[in-house]
Amino acid sequence: MSTATDDVDLVGDEIVANVARAALFAALTGVFAYISFQLPVTSVPFTLQVLGVFLAGVFLGPVWGAASLIIYVVAGAVGAPVFAYGSAGLGSLFGQWGGYLWSYPFAAAVVGVGVHGAGDLTDPGSVGLGRLVGAMTAGTLVIYAFGTVGYALVGDVSLVTAVLAAAVPFVPAEAIKAAATVAIVRSDAVIAR
């Protein structure tokens, strides 16, 4: 029996590279979760996780961006302390902020489709500002939809109360995260030249 593997590709180089990138963006989102603090007007913490969602969608596209955030959510669910305040476990996914966590893979996919379309990935630096901002706005709407519905269900409050407590206070911060994403994309385009 021969054990030579010269003619066997178990996994293609492209898949290995994409999995590595997805894991990197999952880890980055976990690091961003540690930048969290409480706002005085809501029980939902402010974090930089959404910046990780934006970046994953922009740089990895819809499929691998979503895969990255699935890795992130699964890692937190099984006990890696990668959610806000270093929390982890299934309780976080079904708690007051769980809707936000569930939304991240979908939001990254929406951002990826908005930036790259349904076909091959394009250079994010070549994407127009309007398209980039529109993609992140659509991703934010997905995050807020999941987050506020989850907040309303778990907190047993009305949807209006949930929107006022779990979405409205964060709109300025999301605009700053979107601006940071644009700056990162544009700086990457400048460096590449």
Side-chain angles (χ1 to χ4, degrees), residues 46-58:
F46 168 87
T47 73
L48 289 183
Q49 291 162 299
V50 173
L51 179 59
V53 174
F54 289 165
L55 292 171
V58 167

Side-chain angles (χ1 to χ4, degrees), residues 54-106:
F54 289 165
L55 292 171
V58 167
F59 285 104
L60 301 179
V63 173
W64 287 103
S68 174
L69 275 298
I70 290 170
I71 292 169
Y72 169 73
V73 171
V74 169
V78 299
V82 294
F83 298 148
Y85 304 120
S87 63
L90 291 175
S92 295
L93 289 175
F94 294 102
Q96 188 176 25
W97 320 317
Y100 293 98
L101 297 171
W102 288 106
S103 75
Y104 292 164
F106 299 100

Side-chain angles (χ1 to χ4, degrees), residues 13-30:
D13 290 342
E14 184 178 350
I15 291 174
V16 171
N18 285 330
V19 169
R21 287 184 195 105
L24 176 66
F25 278 91
L28 183 63
T29 304

